[in-house]
Amino acid sequence: MAAHLPIRSDHSLREHNTFGIAARAQCFLEVVAADMLLKINGDDDLRALPRLILGGGSNILLTGDFPGLVLHMAMKGMAAVGEDEETVYVRAAAGENWHAFVQWTLAQGYGGLENLSLIPGSVGAAPIQNIGAYGAEIKDVLHAVTVFDFTTGVTSNLDNAACEFAYRDSVFKRRLHGKVAILDVTFALPKRWQANLRYADVAQELAAHQIAAPTPQQVSDAVIAIRTRKLPDPLAIGNAGSFFKNPVVSAAVRNTLLAQYPALPAYAQPDGSVKLAAGWLIDQCGWKGRRVGAAGVYEKQALVLVNHGGASGEDIARLARQIQDDVLARFGVQLEPEPVFI
Ligand code: FAD
Ligand code: EPU
């Protein structure tokens, strides 16, 4: 093994996943500089190991110990890197905390990321599932991504189109899965900013504070207030946010369901399909607040599975399967997990 890299053996991952699952990594490395990845690639033993690229661990489910090398992306740095008449370009390294980066852009006076405030995790993971919340997705403002390719050893740039973004999806979950590490992300933020109040909750929160013409920071504060009310803090109770994606169905399926369930929340998509609210479907099946051993469904949001303390990844996965079976039996809709199973 490469003695010049500070690789730790049999390392606990409990503090590295927001479910708080007590799994271990055979080998673990804090990646503080991109050239460490080149060294790994140049070492036959290290290259042969199964590899897990890890950010904040807020969108993974560890189903057991990891028999390989965990690369914890810890590179730091954020800066404005250019501008033109319409746009300011800002770049952040993969290891920066996402929310801290959003707050930094707002402190510089740059709007554009405020609806994505308080999403846990790292900058480098944000493009992986095209993080989204409150009427915005990272694809709306992402300019480019720098990646290191483990198969070629080459560092290159992908522009927005090359990332093939879709709802909770990107090229990094498909063709490039496991092949590249994201090193940094560049955003194109608009100089002529307009508030995005498409999501009713955000508009209502601002109205409740009598704010008619919000600043980016005020939109951020509103999003933070809503999220804090609805979602569990992983430091208090283990979770990975939404455990399932919202299912996308045809208009015909929506119509059939609506006839039987008039209260069904359904959101028409630009391509004619319809997004259903997985949280509502799970809630209707009576799962909200239920516990199966140490695994459970959050009492305020049925889409969030939680670790009440001491749950294994398999406990959470088993509960998820029970919920999937119930929703399928009752509504004929197949739920797909959002976190990555490791
Ligand atoms: P990790 O969990 O560490 O990794 C996730 C995946 O990305 C893994 O496959 C990993 O291998 C890969 N990966 C990580 N870093 C890199 C890298 N640098 N290069 C290549 N691959 C990498 N998500 C939303 O979209 N919207 C929300 O509103 C939202 N709310 C949440 C609320 C809570 C309370 C929690 C716990 C989670 C929430 N999430 C949400 C999910 C999660 O925060 C995001 O998916 C986040 O981007 C994950 O970042 P991470 O650094 O923790 O990724
Ligand atoms: N609902 C219920 N019962 C519940 C939960 C939700 O009836 O227990 C209903 C709500 O009343 C509402 C609808 O379902 O009518 C949607 O709920 P909410 O607005 O809370 O949003 P969501 O669809 O559950 C999605 C994202 C979140 C994101 C929020 C805000 C997915 C899978 N989840 O949740 O993302 O923060 O919208 O935009 O798309 C994540 O990905 O981890 C995540 C937290």
Side-chain angles (χ1 to χ4, degrees), residues 6 10 17 106 126 138 152 166 190 219 235 262 326-327:
D10 189 29
N17 73 104
L106 296 174
I138 198 180
T152 61
V219 174
L235 290 176
D326 274 8
V327 169

mmCIF file of all heavy atoms in Angstrom, residues 6 10 17 106 126 138 152 166 190 219 235 262 326-327:
data_model
loop_
_atom_site.group_PDB
_atom_site.id
_atom_site.type_symbol
_atom_site.label_atom_id
_atom_site.label_comp_id
_atom_site.label_asym_id
_atom_site.label_seq_id
_atom_site.Cartn_x
_atom_site.Cartn_y
_atom_site.Cartn_z
ATOM 1 N N PRO A 6 -2.022 9.032 4.026
ATOM 2 C CA PRO A 6 -2.412 8.718 5.426
ATOM 3 C C PRO A 6 -3.717 7.906 5.486
ATOM 4 O O PRO A 6 -4.750 8.389 5.940
ATOM 5 C CB PRO A 6 -2.571 10.103 6.059
ATOM 6 C CG PRO A 6 -2.903 11.009 4.924
ATOM 7 C CD PRO A 6 -2.263 10.438 3.690
ATOM 8 N N ASP A 10 -9.720 -0.071 9.190
ATOM 9 C CA ASP A 10 -10.846 -0.423 10.061
ATOM 10 C C ASP A 10 -11.425 0.820 10.736
ATOM 11 O O ASP A 10 -11.485 0.919 11.951
ATOM 12 C CB ASP A 10 -10.374 -1.457 11.118
ATOM 13 C CG ASP A 10 -11.556 -2.015 11.890
ATOM 14 O OD1 ASP A 10 -12.662 -2.070 11.330
ATOM 15 O OD2 ASP A 10 -11.366 -2.368 13.071
ATOM 16 N N ASN A 17 -22.146 9.146 8.339
ATOM 17 C CA ASN A 17 -23.428 8.970 7.647
ATOM 18 C C ASN A 17 -24.520 9.494 8.559
ATOM 19 O O ASN A 17 -24.520 9.228 9.765
ATOM 20 C CB ASN A 17 -23.644 7.511 7.226
ATOM 21 C CG ASN A 17 -23.962 6.585 8.377
ATOM 22 O OD1 ASN A 17 -25.109 6.206 8.557
ATOM 23 N ND2 ASN A 17 -22.963 6.217 9.187
ATOM 24 N N LEU A 106 -24.668 34.221 -0.353
ATOM 25 C CA LEU A 106 -25.627 35.259 0.036
ATOM 26 C C LEU A 106 -24.905 36.424 0.728
ATOM 27 O O LEU A 106 -25.220 37.587 0.493
ATOM 28 C CB LEU A 106 -26.698 34.667 0.956
ATOM 29 C CG LEU A 106 -27.587 33.593 0.306
ATOM 30 C CD1 LEU A 106 -28.517 32.967 1.339
ATOM 31 C CD2 LEU A 106 -28.399 34.164 -0.855
ATOM 32 N N ALA A 126 -23.623 17.524 -4.505
ATOM 33 C CA ALA A 126 -24.865 18.206 -4.899
ATOM 34 C C ALA A 126 -25.288 17.906 -6.351
ATOM 35 O O ALA A 126 -26.479 17.746 -6.617
ATOM 36 C CB ALA A 126 -24.737 19.711 -4.656
ATOM 37 N N ILE A 138 -30.426 22.262 -8.563
ATOM 38 C CA ILE A 138 -29.069 22.745 -8.814
ATOM 39 C C ILE A 138 -28.837 22.949 -10.315
ATOM 40 O O ILE A 138 -28.073 23.818 -10.728
ATOM 41 C CB ILE A 138 -28.031 21.791 -8.178
ATOM 42 C CG1 ILE A 138 -26.686 22.469 -8.036
ATOM 43 C CG2 ILE A 138 -27.916 20.523 -8.917
ATOM 44 C CD1 ILE A 138 -25.627 21.596 -7.416
ATOM 45 N N THR A 152 -9.284 6.857 -16.532
ATOM 46 C CA THR A 152 -8.249 7.427 -17.420
ATOM 47 C C THR A 152 -7.172 8.189 -16.651
ATOM 48 O O THR A 152 -6.112 8.477 -17.201
ATOM 49 C CB THR A 152 -8.890 8.415 -18.413
ATOM 50 O OG1 THR A 152 -9.503 9.468 -17.643
ATOM 51 C CG2 THR A 152 -9.942 7.740 -19.282
ATOM 52 N N ALA A 166 -31.797 15.448 -14.416
ATOM 53 C CA ALA A 166 -33.252 15.235 -14.392
ATOM 54 C C ALA A 166 -33.637 15.201 -12.914
ATOM 55 O O ALA A 166 -32.772 15.354 -12.037
ATOM 56 C CB ALA A 166 -33.615 13.931 -15.089
ATOM 57 N N PRO A 190 -27.306 34.754 -11.341
ATOM 58 C CA PRO A 190 -27.794 35.910 -12.113
ATOM 59 C C PRO A 190 -27.562 37.228 -11.391
ATOM 60 O O PRO A 190 -27.816 37.333 -10.184
ATOM 61 C CB PRO A 190 -29.295 35.620 -12.218
ATOM 62 C CG PRO A 190 -29.605 34.836 -10.992
ATOM 63 C CD PRO A 190 -28.389 34.010 -10.687
ATOM 64 N N VAL A 219 -35.436 35.047 1.499
ATOM 65 C CA VAL A 219 -35.963 33.786 0.947
ATOM 66 C C VAL A 219 -35.255 32.615 1.629
ATOM 67 O O VAL A 219 -35.889 31.634 2.037
ATOM 68 C CB VAL A 219 -35.783 33.721 -0.587
ATOM 69 C CG1 VAL A 219 -36.205 32.355 -1.118
ATOM 70 C CG2 VAL A 219 -36.576 34.834 -1.268
ATOM 71 N N LEU A 235 -28.509 15.479 13.530
ATOM 72 C CA LEU A 235 -27.714 15.418 14.771
ATOM 73 C C LEU A 235 -28.589 14.936 15.927
ATOM 74 O O LEU A 235 -28.093 14.359 16.893
ATOM 75 C CB LEU A 235 -27.125 16.793 15.100
ATOM 76 C CG LEU A 235 -26.021 17.277 14.152
ATOM 77 C CD1 LEU A 235 -25.577 18.681 14.522
ATOM 78 C CD2 LEU A 235 -24.833 16.306 14.164
ATOM 79 N N PRO A 262 -59.750 11.671 -4.144
ATOM 80 C CA PRO A 262 -59.835 13.056 -4.630
ATOM 81 C C PRO A 262 -58.799 13.998 -3.988
ATOM 82 O O PRO A 262 -58.462 15.021 -4.573
ATOM 83 C CB PRO A 262 -61.263 13.476 -4.252
ATOM 84 C CG PRO A 262 -62.009 12.204 -4.047
ATOM 85 C CD PRO A 262 -61.014 11.188 -3.577
ATOM 86 N N ASP A 326 -46.683 -1.978 0.795
ATOM 87 C CA ASP A 326 -48.007 -1.438 1.142
ATOM 88 C C ASP A 326 -48.486 -0.430 0.094
ATOM 89 O O ASP A 326 -49.646 -0.435 -0.302
ATOM 90 C CB ASP A 326 -47.952 -0.740 2.510
ATOM 91 C CG ASP A 326 -48.173 -1.736 3.636
ATOM 92 O OD1 ASP A 326 -48.214 -2.945 3.351
ATOM 93 O OD2 ASP A 326 -48.303 -1.287 4.795
ATOM 94 N N VAL A 327 -47.569 0.474 -0.305
ATOM 95 C CA VAL A 327 -47.953 1.518 -1.275
ATOM 96 C C VAL A 327 -48.291 0.873 -2.624
ATOM 97 O O VAL A 327 -49.260 1.253 -3.282
ATOM 98 C CB VAL A 327 -46.831 2.583 -1.412
ATOM 99 C CG1 VAL A 327 -47.086 3.502 -2.603
ATOM 100 C CG2 VAL A 327 -46.730 3.391 -0.122
#
